Amino acid sequence: MEELAIFGGTPVREKPIYYGRQCIEQDDIDAVAEVLKSDLITCGPKVQELEQELCRVTGARYAVVVANGTAALHLAALAAGFTEGDEVIVSAITFAASANCVLYCGAKPVFADIRPDTYNIDPESVEKLITPRTKGIVAVDFTGQSVEHDALRAICEKHGLLLIEDAAHAIGTKYKGQSIGSIADMTCFSFHPVKTVTAGEGGAITTNDEGLYRRLMRVRTHGITRNQEEMVHPTDAAWYNEQVELGYNYRMTDFQAALLLNQLKKLPAFSARRKEIVKMYDRAFADLPEILIQREIPESDTTRHLYIIRLDLNRLKCDRRQFFDALYAENTCPQVHYLPVYWHSYYEKLGYERGLCPNAEKYYQEVMSIPLYYSLTDEDVADVIRAVRKVTAYYSQSEGR
Ligand SMILES: *Cc1c(COP(=O)(O)O)cnc(C)c1O
């Protein structure tokens, strides 16, 4: 058996690859440079063009572009009207920002468990957590796979809740043929460099609701309006604007918008390549009983942001930490997505206890994300597969040591 790199053997690759990486080409750089030479470099025509393009890509009626995905979630929670005394149900396995946005508004996140095989929020777990204080749900399309919209919509209608979809992973994904971004009450996107398309930093909220749209536009810029209908002291004076509520500065610059506009042209290609790589991994791991792969619901046509492998620890003579470190040493560097949000010490201090979401907690101890991004070559993918097989063979009980 090959000696693992972590014990002094030769790594599968010389040069490390990480779990995600942006793809920036010369035309992206040119698009940014062009705007930097123009008159308006922030929140100008490129941001407006980007909002139109996001409507086209997602099929939503309105899009509001903001500084990052966390700002998108914050504004969505604000526009939803979440406030002190409210409870909002959030997926337990997600990036902390999905729950932080509820805290920003003074409301309380209540964590729902995941399904053990798709890793997305379990609608049955959501239903059990509903109280008279529940105002909404923040559901993440984890790894890019769509949440179960039919089930979540039924719950929202039955209990009068608002659905915010955290689609930071899911641009390009469809549910029953309909693009993510046009289904939930509000959908939040992130354009951080590790996501499928990037603006450096960036985010957006899409919605079909005009009232939510107006509110989002206003709180993006300090809560200031130029619309007389929204003013307490309306006037047609050209210079006059009025702050009618407390908002923020969550604007995106025009040169970032230009970058994202150019990236969106490549979304079909990015999406196709990610799907191809997912297929290669799925096929390669199908015959490894030690490695479990994520179940995909048939309703989701997924542009995958993350590829997760889950270890069957009953069949391996190691824990997740050892497997992770061994894979890392082979220079096919994994990452873990995510710690159950309420395991963060900050949430612990708020009083959340372990044991709330058993599926999420078990999941966390068995998973890691392996490299998945557009510019991975077939050779890179083959290296990752070789490394996973090498580490699995080493620690598997059948071939064990
Ligand atoms: C990336 C991410 C965010 C936050 O987006 P930023 O643009 O980094 O602020 C929120 N939720 C999830 C699930 C994410 O992956």
Side-chain angles (χ1 to χ4, degrees), residues 9 30 204-205 252 262 307 333 373:
D30 294 343
I205 310 113
M252 180 193 269
N262 208 62
Y307 191 94
C333 309
Y373 51 91

Side-chain angles (χ1 to χ4, degrees), residues 221-386:
T221 333
H222 310 286
I224 287 175
T225 182
R226 292 181 171 280
N227 181 348
Q228 283 192 54
E229 285 168 34
E230 296 176 12
M231 292 178 181
V232 176
H233 305 293
T235 158
D236 59 2
W239 45 267
Y240 187 77
N241 58 55
E242 192 176 298
Q243 183 184 342
V244 295
E245 65 179 320
L246 188 61
Y248 300 84
N249 173 4
Y250 281 161
R251 290 187 300 259
M252 180 193 269
T253 67
D254 256 33
F255 47 96
Q256 289 171 299
L259 173 56
L260 185 52
L261 273 164
N262 208 62
Q263 292 262 304
L264 283 171
K265 288 186 204 159
K266 305 173 192 179
L267 178 58
F270 287 175
S271 176
R273 179 60 180 160
R274 282 173 177 270
K275 286 179 181 177
E276 226 167 63
I277 297 169
V278 166
K279 259 197 204 133
M280 288 192 257
Y281 282 150
D282 281 350
R283 227 178 289 136
F285 303 139
D287 67 337
L288 288 183
E290 299 87 349
I291 304 293
L292 309 173
I293 59 178
Q294 185 181 2
R295 182 171 75 88
E296 182 103 0
I297 57 168
E299 294 84 353
S300 181
D301 173 1
T302 306
T303 294
R304 201 82 75 86
H305 161 56
L306 298 173
Y307 191 94
I308 303 231
I309 58 170
R310 183 164 187 174
L311 309 178
D312 184 342
L313 292 175
N314 293 324
R315 292 173 183 269
L316 289 164
K317 282 187 181 152
C318 64
D319 58 18
R320 191 266 308 276
R321 172 73 189 268
Q322 288 167 310
F323 197 102
F324 181 101
D325 289 347
L327 203 52
Y328 208 97
E330 300 297 334
N331 282 331
T332 54
C333 309
Q335 181 53 276
V336 172
H337 300 92
Y338 296 94
L339 188 76
V341 176
Y342 59 88
W343 278 24
H344 283 288
S345 62
Y346 180 76
Y347 279 83
E348 228 168 48
K349 273 187 277 176
L350 294 178
Y352 292 89
E353 283 173 11
R354 299 205 172 199
L356 285 178
C357 301
N359 293 341
E361 295 183 9
K362 181 161 193 298
Y363 161 89
Y364 167 65
Q365 287 160 42
E366 299 175 348
V367 293
M368 65 200 73
S369 312
I370 58 175
L372 174 61
Y373 51 91
Y374 170 73
S375 53
L376 279 181
T377 65
D378 287 357
E379 293 73 55
D380 294 332
V381 174
D383 285 347
V384 176
I385 292 169
R386 254 194 327 130

Side-chain angles (χ1 to χ4, degrees), residues 68-70 73 94-95 97-98 140 166 168-169 190 192 195 202 338:
N68 55 62
T70 305
L73 286 162
T94 182
F95 184 56
S98 313
V140 59
D166 180 346
H169 297 178
S190 164
H192 179 278
K195 310 292 159 72
Y338 296 94

